[in-house]
């Protein structure tokens, strides 16, 4: 019998990539997703796989599954600022109620538990780069608060289940990640810049583009998460690529790779948009032997090819 992992949000961008890795490592996977931001396109290739099961379910409601479970990885959540702006209550519910349900389920099964947290717990950081020991600078009542506070609550709840119930929990703080399967209309910077470049539309840089992010290619991120899941760590671990880009640099790089004639235009900076973000990955290096390996230009090219293919499919109405 293969060990079974429950992946909440398994039809999402990261959840589906993690699923592929788990299947490749010899686990069986149950995906739970209500498909509000996830898509069956991301898991279509798994149809007929005997080690894979999809359950259409909102994990903010009670979770039930027969039989043993090795691990629960809680990845369900809207994750693009556009999404959590449009779905603020669902975002709060899945981070709070959903995390509680997933933890309760892990406890009942004696399963290990891993929560997808985020660099957003650091808010608009006053410490740079951000080590896990930094407590953050978050506006609880701003438009990003619904995501940031839900994830901060989910970390607190996870540690409480570890301390009170002895659940073997792990917390990954995910920094900006990109790669194939991101939605064409995701709304985050890299998918927007790619869509705009590939359809010859203006490339929208918010503000003057001097704000920074550190972008990690998806396969590197998944490798870090897989290592964390197998580890004995309980404290949060940053996983991300420390290479820091201004958004203007990223827009220019994507414009160049696409070969588009699109112009860069500036739009207003969203409220509470963090000015800088860069992971300190000392802990991941020391404890997991992990660091990113993929060349980012190569990652951007792979992602661009995936976007190109899907845009073509949309054109022919497939
Ligand atoms: N951004 C941008 N143009 C876009 C989308 C985003 O300049 O079309 C900026 C956004 O204001 C932020 C950065 O890109 O400074 C990263 O935004 P994203 O939504 O990708 O994720 P965040 O890191 O803010 O959660």
């Amino acid at each position: 019998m293969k060990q079974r992992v429950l992946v909440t949000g398994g039809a999402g961008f990261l959840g589906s990539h993690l699923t592929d890795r788990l299947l490749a490592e010899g686990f069986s996977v149950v995906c739970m997703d209500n498909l509000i931001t996830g898509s069956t396109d991301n898991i279509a290739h798994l149809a007929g796989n005997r080690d894979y099961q999809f359950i259409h379910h909102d994990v903010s409601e009670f979770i039930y599954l027969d039989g043993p479970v090795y691990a629960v990885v809680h990845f369900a959540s809207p994750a693009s600022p556009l999404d959590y702006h449009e779905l603020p209550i669902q975002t709060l519910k899945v981070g709070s109620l959903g995390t509680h349900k997933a933890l309760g389920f892990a406890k009942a099964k004696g399963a290990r538990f891993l929560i997808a947290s985020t660099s957003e717990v650091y808010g608009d950081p006053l410490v740079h780069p951000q080590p896990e020991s930094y407590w953050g600078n978050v506006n609880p009542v701003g438009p990003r608060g619904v995501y940031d506070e839900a994830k901060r609550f989910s970390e607190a709840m996870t540690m409480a289940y570890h301390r009170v119930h002895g659940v073997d929990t792990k917390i990954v703080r995910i920094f900006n990640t990109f790669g194939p399967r991101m939605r064409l209309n995701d709304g985050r910077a890299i998918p927007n810049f790619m869509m705009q470049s590939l359809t010859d539309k203006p490339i929208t840089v918010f503000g003057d583009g001097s704000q920074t992010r550190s972008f990690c290619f998806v396969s590197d991120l998944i490798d870090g998460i897989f290592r964390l899941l197998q580890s004995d760590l309980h404290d949060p671990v940053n996983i991300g690529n420390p290479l820091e880009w201004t958004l203007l640099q990223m827009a220019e790089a994507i414009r160049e790779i696409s070969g588009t004639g699109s112009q860069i235009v500036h739009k207003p900076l969203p409220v509470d948009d963090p000015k800088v973000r860069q992971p300190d990955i000392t802990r991941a290096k020391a404890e997991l032997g992990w660091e990113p390996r993929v060349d980012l230009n190569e990652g951007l090219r792979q992602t661009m090819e995936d976007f190109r293919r899907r845009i073509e499919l949309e054109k022919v109405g497939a």
Side-chain angles (χ1 to χ4, degrees):
M1 271 294 272
K2 294 193 167 184
Q3 287 181 315
R4 195 161 58 140
V5 181
L6 171 65
V7 181
T8 78
F13 165 50
L14 294 181
S16 66
H17 280 287
L18 181 60
T19 295
D20 288 343
R21 175 71 187 260
L22 289 165
L23 290 169
E25 298 283 347
F27 292 90
S28 69
V29 173
V30 177
C31 162
M32 267 185 197
D33 205 302
N34 64 358
L35 301 177
I36 61 167
T37 58
S39 167
T40 51
D41 291 349
N42 292 335
I43 51 174
H45 62 289
L46 300 173
N49 186 324
R50 288 168 50 199
D51 295 324
Y52 182 75
Q53 184 187 1
F54 171 73
I55 299 174
H56 190 277
H57 181 66
D58 179 347
V59 295
S60 299
E61 308 289 340
F62 188 79
I63 297 173
Y64 177 78
L65 262 187
D66 253 342
V69 173
Y70 166 74
V72 176
V73 294
H74 183 36
F75 271 60
S77 178
S80 156
L82 197 66
D83 291 331
Y84 48 80
H85 192 67
E86 282 170 8
L87 302 165
I89 295 172
Q90 289 93 328
T91 303
L92 282 159
K93 282 177 75 178
V94 76
S96 55
L97 305 179
T99 302
H100 186 213
K101 299 288 183 295
L103 278 162
F105 177 76
K107 172 174 157 255
K109 295 290 185 186
R112 57 182 60 201
F113 178 86
L114 185 146
I115 175 88
S117 186
T118 166
S119 55
E120 282 284 321
V121 300
Y122 302 122
D124 190 3
L126 305 176
V127 169
H128 191 65
Q130 295 79 53
E132 290 87 349
S133 54
Y134 177 50
W135 293 352
N137 177 38
V138 170
N139 173 5
V141 296
R144 302 176 82 99
V146 294
Y147 184 64
D148 303 7
E149 297 295 9
K151 291 293 188 181
R152 289 168 68 97
F153 175 92
S154 72
E155 290 197 7
M157 189 61 128
T158 299
M159 290 311 290
Y161 264 68
H162 173 62
R163 293 189 182 115
V164 176
H165 295 305
V167 177
D168 183 3
T169 59
K170 292 107 199 3
I171 298 172
V172 57
R173 291 188 179 150
I174 299 171
F175 282 67
N176 295 63
T177 302
F178 70 98
R181 295 188 196 157
M182 286 188 104
R183 290 164 308 164
L184 301 179
N185 60 353
D186 179 270
R188 279 175 283 192
I190 289 185
N192 269 7
F193 296 164
M194 290 203 171
M195 263 302 272
Q196 291 160 345
S197 302
L198 292 171
T199 55
D200 291 321
K201 304 251 166 57
I203 300 173
T204 56
V205 168
F206 298 161
D208 64 5
S210 64
Q211 72 273 30
T212 70
R213 295 293 185 275
S214 303
F215 296 98
C216 187
F217 188 63
V218 64
S219 59
D220 276 335
L221 184 97
I222 296 297
D223 187 50
I225 290 172
F226 185 73
R227 287 173 191 233
L228 178 60
L229 182 65
Q230 308 284 67
S231 78
D232 296 327
L233 298 182
H234 304 300
D235 287 332
V237 180
N238 289 338
I239 300 284
N241 190 323
L243 215 64
E244 191 179 9
W245 302 59
T246 69
L247 265 295
L248 195 56
Q249 280 174 330
M250 181 51 81
E252 279 164 356
I254 290 176
R255 183 169 67 169
E256 183 154 335
I257 293 172
S258 72
T260 182
S262 294
Q263 296 299 309
I264 291 176
V265 297
H266 292 269
K267 298 267 179 188
L269 196 63
V271 175
D272 294 337
D273 199 277
K275 283 178 266 318
V276 291
R277 200 183 272 164
Q278 184 188 30
D280 177 332
I281 60 165
T282 309
R283 181 174 290 168
K285 272 188 184 160
E287 304 282 349
L288 304 175
W290 177 84
E291 61 184 316
R293 299 194 180 285
V294 177
D295 172 73
L296 285 188
N297 282 314
E298 176 51 31
L300 287 172
R301 268 190 289 275
Q302 279 188 35
T303 310
M304 183 91 70
E305 274 322 297
D306 174 66
F307 270 61
R308 213 187 285 277
R309 184 183 58 79
R310 287 187 290 145
I311 290 169
E312 285 307 315
L313 282 176
E314 272 202 353
K315 273 195 204 147
V316 297

